[in-house]
Amino acid sequence: MSRTEYFNVAEIFGENVFSDAVMQERLPKKVYRKLKDVINEGRELDLETADVVAHEMKEWAIDKGATHYTHWFQPLNGVTAEKHDSFITAPMENGRVLMSFSGKELIKGEPDASSFPSGGLRATFEARGYTAWDCTSPAFVRQDAAGATLCIPTAFCSYTGDALDQKTPLLRSMEAINDQALRLIRLFGNTTSKRVTPSVGPEQEYFIVDREKYLQRKDLIFTGRTLFGAMPPKGQEMEDHYFGAIRERIAAFMKDVNVELWKLGVTAKTQHNEVAPAQHELAPIYAEANIAVDHNQLVMETLKKVAGRHGLQCLLHEKPFAGVNGSGKHNNWSIITDDGINLLDPGKTPHENIQFLLVLTCILKAVDIHADLLRESAADVGNDHRLGANEAPPAIVSVYLGEQLQDVLTQLISTGAATHSIKGQKLETGVRTLPEFMKDATDRNRTSPFAFTGNKFEFRMVGSQDSVAQSSVVLNTIVAEAFSEVCDVLEQTDDFEMAVHDLIKENATNHQRIVFNGNGYSEEWVEEAIKRGLPNITSMVDAIPALNTEKSVALFERFKVFTKAELDSRVEIEYELYSKEINIEAKAMIDIATKQIIPAVIRYTTVLAQSVTAVRSACDADVSVQTAILTEVSSLLADTRKALVTLQEVTEQAASMAAGREQAVYYRDVVMRAMDELRTPVDRLEMLVDKSMWPMPSYGDLIFEV
Ligand code: ADP
Ligand code: MG
């Protein structure tokens, strides 16, 4: 689509989605009702209904040009997976084929599970795995170079029913919080809401670089991040990129991304430049958690695909460039009833809203007790470079409430009752012609990992390439637990008001250590957090054990989100994933240093040496500069070679170890250190060697010349 072409968003929005409107139009009334019951009330789907739905879905998809269908699922390797089948059936006698798609094919798929991570849940010889239609997330047609494909969002399980994906536990956790939140609001007299669903709005950060340059960086190609690279003269210190005017080339890309996403029913809403040069953000309007998770996968896929069409490359890694801001994904989370009541909405006078205060203090309790799990949910290999680093939330989980709620809580804790709420003031700009409006009662705190932002919490630890599923699973389940505990008390009491009041006070008092409203990036906070006994888990390897502690197993088994076996398997998978990724990074470094950097530096030293001899034989001029550079470069070259040999040795050693915690720890403590030691002399060499001889584009080339 050219830049001058305009279009109507409302017309294209959702045009490739088998949406409620399409279903209503195409399905016989009875079938439509049945399906809605399945979707809204979790009824079971019968094959007869599935057959009709499948048929209509196929007809609709074929109208959109679809030739294939795929069960689209999210295994535990971080990307979405799909296997395509065409609609054609065996040729008939006249040689023609029919296009068919049965209910059975819609609801059940059978990919070979042995090639996906399962962490011991399934031996390779027991390869069966099933994908099952998640009818709560709409099917869609994806159009690209491969043609058009009907994509059916599915959950992925082993032959024994163990979850092998992100979606299964997410759906289970949504049921858990639905059950417990309904219990809670019933106690407060709500008899009309039928369902409570967690809503998620994931904000996605990413980098865009020129594809030609990207292709000259083997580290970016193999690992998604740069493994070498000296800092350019200008970094982000001018802070001139954040919210800056969007360049034409990027704007054209963003426009196409939006169009693609809108067609897929993804409500792409906000886009802007981020803090680092070449860094941007895209946020959709929030949706029910499982749809939001699916949509976020589509957002990531679309960013990558459309970037390619514009000669660009999208980097979703959390830390593509050392020393430059990393990318995250904010999980904006709230709990909303089917009739639109947000349980996290404090209203204008929160001190009077006891249901809200109970919900809020339950969340404080949940986050305090399970801070380790929440931290784990944001653990991924790339995020280790970000969490605890300067620009991101530190690895300590704490909650920001803001002035207004903090004040209410303080009143509650100190006097046992809250009598007033701080109100928003008029914004005074000192300029009469500017409109006057009321400020929010509370400022924002961008340094908090878990911040209350008006009517939702924003969990900011998640990594940019990670799924928002795990953090949503943890939030849903830990809050379900806290709700169930207060309901246990409230369902037994004779004096409801008093009991609610006591529970609010108890939760607020017992868990106030998790609340921190100050600067989360300061050194003092790290020390203060230690005093408060809050965990500061700075690496993925140390975060993983939280998954299958006794506390975690009890929590997840109680709410039927994970079995112990599933948790154990995830622990195994995560250690393995960690080791594999670092192994790839180490091998990529070895490869680049051996085949690109050392040869380039040797060429440069040869040129220098020749220059020394040439100048000397031509005249007796001063060659001290050439000699000085030659000496320094040669010495760094020797350091490089030495570090390279060490890295080779420790990487071989690591790869020979049995998979598991010990191996992952070795990769982190020994291999990563050896990687750093190789990087140091190479980055210094980059500053010395003739730019035209350096074998790859620099940081400056990558982030300032898009
Ligand atoms: P902020 O400036 O705090 O980041 P935005 O309005 O930009 O706020 O919202 C960020 C994300 O949070 C968006 O995806 C938005 O749709 C989502 N969001 C807004 N309200 C809610 C809510 N009640 N529950 C979940 N997500 C929400
Ligand atoms: Mg935000």
Side-chain angles (χ1 to χ4, degrees):
M1 194 180 286
S2 79
R3 238 183 298 133
T4 45
E5 220 175 284
Y6 296 96
F7 53 87
N8 183 335
V9 182
E11 270 168 26
I12 59 167
F13 188 82
E15 74 175 28
N16 288 349
V17 184
F18 195 66
S19 63
D20 191 59
V22 176
M23 292 196 281
Q24 216 164 343
E25 197 183 292
R26 290 202 167 235
L27 297 176
K29 261 212 181 79
K30 225 177 90 197
V31 173
Y32 172 75
R33 287 252 171 70
K34 269 199 174 159
L35 186 59
K36 288 301 276 187
D37 282 350
V38 176
I39 295 171
N40 295 334
E41 276 149 47
R43 299 261 174 84
E44 265 184 43
L45 183 72
D46 58 89
L47 206 54
E48 209 178 311
T49 309
D51 272 329
V52 181
V53 178
H55 175 79
E56 287 304 326
M57 201 186 264
K58 176 205 71 185
E59 292 295 305
W60 168 82
I62 288 174
D63 283 351
K64 301 263 161 214
T67 52
H68 289 68
Y69 71 92
T70 177
H71 275 202
W72 187 75
F73 60 104
Q74 295 161 41
L76 297 171
N77 58 7
V79 288
T80 50
E82 43 196 77
K83 173 182 150 222
H84 296 193
D85 283 297
S86 77
F87 290 120
I88 60 171
T89 51
M92 297 182 294
E93 267 169 28
N94 62 7
R96 291 176 170 260
V97 290
L98 278 179
M99 304 289 261
S100 86
F101 185 49
S102 69
K104 212 171 130 216
E105 287 168 308
L106 167 65
I107 60 178
K108 183 183 128 207
E110 203 191 320
D112 174 6
S114 60
S115 311
F116 296 103
S118 74
L121 278 178
R122 173 199 37 67
T124 20
F125 57 85
E126 296 165 336
R128 258 184 221 279
Y130 294 110
T131 49
W133 182 32
D134 169 19
C135 62
T136 59
S137 181
F140 55 91
V141 166
R142 188 181 47 204
Q143 296 160 324
D144 56 24
T149 308
L150 168 66
C151 300
I152 300 152
T154 54
F156 179 43
C157 295
S158 74
Y159 187 67
T160 46
D162 294 308
L164 296 176
D165 69 344
Q166 308 278 15
K167 174 161 267 177
T168 309
L170 178 64
L171 292 173
R172 293 175 184 161
S173 74
M174 288 171 72
E175 293 197 7
I177 196 159
N178 174 53
D179 293 345
Q180 301 308 322
L182 277 178
R183 253 179 102 188
L184 186 97
I185 60 175
R186 293 282 182 264
L187 284 163
F188 279 88
N190 178 327
T191 53
T192 44
S193 302
K194 290 207 202 91
R195 268 178 73 80
V196 182
T197 322
S199 288
V200 166
E203 294 164 73
Q204 176 72 47
E205 292 181 338
Y206 60 93
F207 278 84
I208 290 288
V209 297
D210 183 85
R211 188 158 164 84
E212 284 296 308
K213 295 195 181 108
Y214 162 86
L215 289 173
Q216 295 167 50
R217 298 269 333 196
K218 296 244 179 304
D219 46 4
L220 283 179
I221 294 174
F222 290 126
T223 72
R225 76 176 178 109
T226 53
L227 300 167
F228 299 103
M231 278 305 287
K234 179 183 170 184
Q236 64 197 49
E237 59 274 60
M238 301 299 287
E239 304 192 324
D240 51 0
H241 189 255
Y242 190 56
F243 281 20
I246 298 171
R247 274 166 287 182
E248 280 257 306
R249 189 172 178 201
I250 302 292
F253 153 76
M254 284 180 171
K255 188 188 116 183
D256 283 1
V257 167
N258 286 336
V259 171
E260 291 267 317
L261 289 174
W262 289 333
K263 285 188 188 169
L264 293 170
V266 180
T267 51
K269 167 98 176 151
T270 314
Q271 60 197 27
H272 59 78
N273 287 354
E274 260 300 326
V275 177
Q279 192 186 27
H280 309 277
E281 178 182 303
L282 187 152
I285 297 172
Y286 65 92
E288 293 190 2
N290 67 321
I291 293 176
V293 166
D294 285 356
H295 281 183
N296 181 247
Q297 295 293 338
L298 287 178
V299 165
M300 292 194 285
E301 271 181 38
T302 306
L303 285 170
K304 285 199 263 188
K305 199 157 62 184
V306 175
R309 289 185 207 147
H310 285 254
L312 298 165
Q313 181 72 33
C314 173
L315 305 177
L316 291 171
H317 194 282
E318 285 80 8
K319 198 77 177 174
F321 307 101
V324 176
N325 261 26
S327 299
K329 172 148 29 199
H330 296 174
N331 182 341
N332 292 273
W333 180 90
S334 68
I335 5 179
I336 303 179
T337 65
D338 58 328
D339 46 355
I341 305 163
N342 180 353
L343 303 191
L344 288 182
D345 189 352
K348 288 222 160 55
T349 50
H351 69 281
E352 293 172 337
N353 188 345
I354 57 165
Q355 180 185 306
F356 168 75
L357 289 175
L358 185 62
V359 167
L360 180 76
T361 52
C362 279
I363 295 175
L364 292 184
K365 176 180 178 181
V367 174
D368 186 26
I369 292 181
H370 298 292
D372 57 341
L373 271 180
L374 208 48
R375 163 66 183 93
E376 204 292 322
S377 75
D380 82 8
V381 187
N383 223 10
D384 269 12
H385 301 281
R386 181 177 159 263
L387 286 183
N390 181 33
E391 84 287 349
I396 308 160
V397 172
S398 66
V399 182
Y400 171 80
L401 289 179
E403 212 183 333
Q404 188 188 45
L405 291 183
Q406 181 58 56
D407 175 64
V408 171
L409 276 202
T410 309
Q411 293 177 50
L412 269 167
I413 294 169
S414 59
T415 67
T419 55
H420 59 273
S421 300
I422 297 173
K423 293 212 166 56
Q425 308 284 319
K426 222 179 246 170
L427 182 74
E428 303 280 355
T429 60
V431 181
R432 240 179 297 151
T433 50
L434 286 177
E436 281 189 347
F437 53 82
M438 299 298 281
K439 291 195 286 194
D440 295 294
T442 296
D443 195 6
R444 286 177 186 281
N445 181 331
R446 299 256 173 224
T447 65
S448 175
F450 195 71
F452 187 73
T453 47
N455 61 3
K456 63 184 193 289
F457 272 101
E458 185 170 347
F459 181 51
R460 303 197 177 113
M461 277 187 165
V462 184
S464 48
Q465 59 185 337
D466 207 359
S467 163
V468 266
Q470 298 108 294
S471 54
S472 304
V473 168
V474 170
L475 281 170
N476 297 343
T477 316
I478 65 178
V479 173
E481 180 189 56
F483 282 177
S484 82
E485 281 161 2
V486 292
C487 290
D488 288 345
V489 176
L490 293 175
E491 281 165 359
Q492 300 301 323
T493 182
D494 302 325
D495 188 344
F496 183 75
E497 293 259 319
M498 198 57 198
V500 172
H501 174 272
D502 289 348
L503 284 167
I504 294 173
K505 187 168 177 212
E506 185 185 310
N507 281 351
T509 313
N510 293 347
H511 302 285
Q512 55 180 318
R513 68 168 186 168
I514 196 72
V515 178
F516 178 66
N517 294 305
N519 178 4
Y521 294 180
S522 68
E523 265 311 303
E524 295 85 72
W525 169 229
V526 176
E527 277 161 36
E528 165 72 20
I530 294 172
K531 281 195 210 128
R532 294 190 189 187
L534 299 177
N536 182 5
I537 306 167
T538 54
S539 84
M540 170 166 171
V541 171
D542 289 336
I544 296 170
L547 270 179
N548 62 350
T549 57
E550 251 175 62
K551 169 173 77 87
S552 164
V553 172
L555 166 81
F556 286 123
E557 287 207 324
R558 176 167 169 212
F559 292 98
K560 302 193 166 41
V561 173
F562 287 118
T563 60
K564 179 168 187 312
E566 286 171 334
L567 289 167
D568 290 345
S569 82
R570 272 160 212 249
V571 166
E572 241 181 80
I573 290 170
E574 294 211 3
Y575 283 132
E576 226 180 297
L577 209 73
Y578 185 88
S579 297
K580 277 187 186 158
E581 271 192 45
I582 305 293
N583 184 56
I584 293 172
E585 292 191 349
K587 286 202 312 210
M589 272 189 113
I590 293 168
D591 193 69
I592 296 165
T594 311
K595 295 188 194 148
Q596 293 188 278
I597 290 166
I598 292 182
V601 178
I602 291 176
R603 277 196 295 277
Y604 183 53
T605 51
T606 312
V607 170
L608 283 172
Q610 282 164 350
S611 153
V612 173
T613 337
V615 173
R616 272 210 192 115
S617 68
C619 60
D620 201 18
D622 183 358
V623 288
S624 61
V625 172
Q626 290 94 318
T627 322
I629 298 176
L630 183 58
T631 312
E632 194 179 351
V633 169
S634 301
S635 145
L636 284 167
L637 183 61
D639 294 348
T640 302
R641 164 86 188 143
K642 196 164 153 246
L644 174 64
V645 171
T646 308
L647 180 59
Q648 266 164 330
E649 281 166 11
V650 296
T651 306
E652 264 168 44
Q653 169 65 23
S656 73
M657 294 168 76
R661 177 166 178 83
E662 207 183 314
Q663 186 192 37
V665 168
Y666 188 86
Y667 269 108
R668 182 195 62 190
D669 293 346
V670 183
V671 177
M672 294 266 284
R673 188 165 341 121
M675 286 165 62
D676 286 343
E677 263 153 37
L678 173 57
R679 179 171 182 151
T680 308
V682 170
D683 286 0
R684 286 184 53 204
L685 281 167
E686 189 185 343
M687 304 297 282
L688 293 169
V689 171
D690 181 345
K691 182 163 171 55
S692 68
M693 297 178 83
W694 194 252
M696 63 194 86
S698 69
Y699 270 26
D701 301 334
L702 285 164
I703 59 181
F704 285 105
E705 293 173 27
V706 190

